[in-house]
Amino acid sequence: MSGLPGDPVDVLELEATMHAVEHACSLIRMHASPLEAEQLLVFLSKSPMPYQSCRFILENSQMPNARFQAASAIGDASMREWGVLTDENKRNLILYCLHYATKHASATDAYVQVKVSAVAAQLLKRGWYVFGNYLWFISSAIYFVLCSYYDWISF
């Protein structure tokens, strides 16, 4: 899982995190134990450098709610940790979110793509000054997302 910030994580640990998030989402959906579930999701959101775990959840979970929570955690963590992320980490986060949103543009769980797109937009806005020398990068990214979005809604 190169490209995103954070230490290398064992696949078993990533799977355990994904299953815990999916379990929390199930608890919320069934109104079983919302406090326990909320605590777990807040823990993910406030974890330092949760990007690799969130990426694993986004790419492997079958539960849209878990993917939504992972996207939300990426947004929360990136805003909180923006000052300690390298420029390369910031670019990789933006590119990952844009790539994910466009790759899954035709998915049935559109609210997940909207959340990932919103995170990408926040990161682009926050990184505008940092990437001022890379206007082509930002312009291309925005153009790529808009073209993908219009292709998606035009069918």
Side-chain angles (χ1 to χ4, degrees):
M1 301 236 164
S2 63
L4 294 183
D7 295 328
V9 184
D10 180 43
V11 175
L12 294 176
E13 186 179 331
L14 293 171
E15 287 176 347
T17 302
M18 181 179 74
H19 292 307
V21 171
E22 289 175 342
H23 178 67
C25 291
S26 294
L27 290 175
I28 289 173
R29 190 179 66 227
M30 295 184 306
H31 305 289
S33 182
L35 184 60
E36 176 188 341
E38 183 180 348
Q39 288 174 342
L40 182 79
L41 295 175
V42 167
F43 178 77
L44 174 69
S45 188
K46 293 189 183 273
S47 296
M49 301 282 179
Y51 309 108
Q52 294 187 35
S53 296
C54 293
R55 178 181 181 176
F56 187 83
I57 294 167
L58 279 167
E59 294 176 358
N60 295 291
S61 178
Q62 298 301 310
M63 292 185 68
N65 289 343
R67 293 194 305 271
F68 180 88
Q69 293 297 332
S72 181
I74 288 174
D76 293 345
S78 61
M79 291 298 113
R80 182 181 64 247
E81 298 170 349
W82 190 258
V84 297
L85 295 174
T86 66
D87 287 352
E88 182 180 348
N89 291 152
K90 294 171 186 175
R91 268 193 303 278
N92 287 337
L93 280 169
I94 292 168
L95 287 173
Y96 176 74
C97 290
L98 290 172
H99 176 73
Y100 183 89
T102 55
K103 182 179 174 186
H104 297 90
S106 62
T108 57
D109 52 348
Y111 68 99
V112 176
Q113 278 59 268
V114 169
K115 183 62 176 178
V116 174
S117 297
V119 170
Q122 282 181 317
L123 295 174
L124 279 169
K125 183 177 178 184
R126 186 157 257 212
W128 191 260
Y129 177 74
V130 173
F131 303 118
N133 295 334
Y134 303 103
L135 290 178
W136 62 268
F137 165 76
I138 295 170
S139 303
S140 300
I142 293 169
Y143 178 76
F144 182 66
V145 169
L146 290 175
C147 288
S148 297
Y149 175 74
Y150 287 118
D151 286 345
W152 178 66
I153 63 170
S154 65
F155 69 88

